[in-house]
Amino acid sequence: MKYSVTGFMILVKRDEIKKQTESGIILATDEKLEKAAMNKGTVLGIGPVAWGADWLGGGKTPWCKVGDKVCFAKYAGTNYVDEETKEEFLLIRDEDVLMVIEE
């Protein structure tokens, strides 16, 4: 499904937290603690005026693009759940992107 992001917002799909180690040990998780720890994800969409593209006199160069892995502020954004697929996404402000994770 394709999403159209507006304004200065960025749509991010949070990374899954590991629930099992590579050797097979199952890790105990608490859903509230798990969500609080998830501050990494993949950019799925970027709004047209992110980083002040038009309304700040030319804007700044965006430091991430669709498909990038990013780290964002811990308490940033608004959760969004797709009604059809039940997937969870996060809408964050452009300024909440702290860094791009290069693999």
Side-chain angles (χ1 to χ4, degrees):
M1 183 171 283
K2 189 169 181 162
Y3 298 94
S4 182
V5 184
T6 61
F8 51 86
M9 302 303 286
I10 298 172
L11 183 68
V12 175
K13 172 75 172 153
R14 291 181 193 226
D15 287 350
E16 297 278 330
I17 298 261
K18 286 188 178 183
K19 297 184 182 188
Q20 186 172 355
T21 65
E22 289 183 24
S23 61
I25 297 171
I26 297 175
L27 303 171
T29 59
D30 176 338
E31 190 172 321
K32 287 182 183 178
L33 292 174
E34 189 175 292
K35 281 197 176 188
M38 291 191 300
N39 62 345
K40 292 186 286 186
T42 303
V43 176
L44 299 179
I46 298 175
V49 294
W51 295 283
D54 293 326
W55 57 284
L56 283 179
K60 301 171 189 166
T61 304
W63 50 84
C64 73
K65 61 186 180 311
V66 173
D68 280 351
K69 291 265 189 195
V70 295
C71 180
F72 46 87
K74 187 174 185 177
Y75 297 105
T78 302
N79 288 313
Y80 169 74
V81 178
D82 186 308
E83 300 276 332
E84 294 176 19
T85 64
K86 305 299 183 213
E87 280 187 287
E88 288 188 35
F89 301 101
L90 188 66
L91 278 165
I92 62 174
R93 296 175 186 269
D94 55 5
E95 63 193 23
D96 288 329
V97 175
L98 303 176
M99 69 178 185
V100 176
I101 302 168
E102 296 188 20
E103 297 179 20

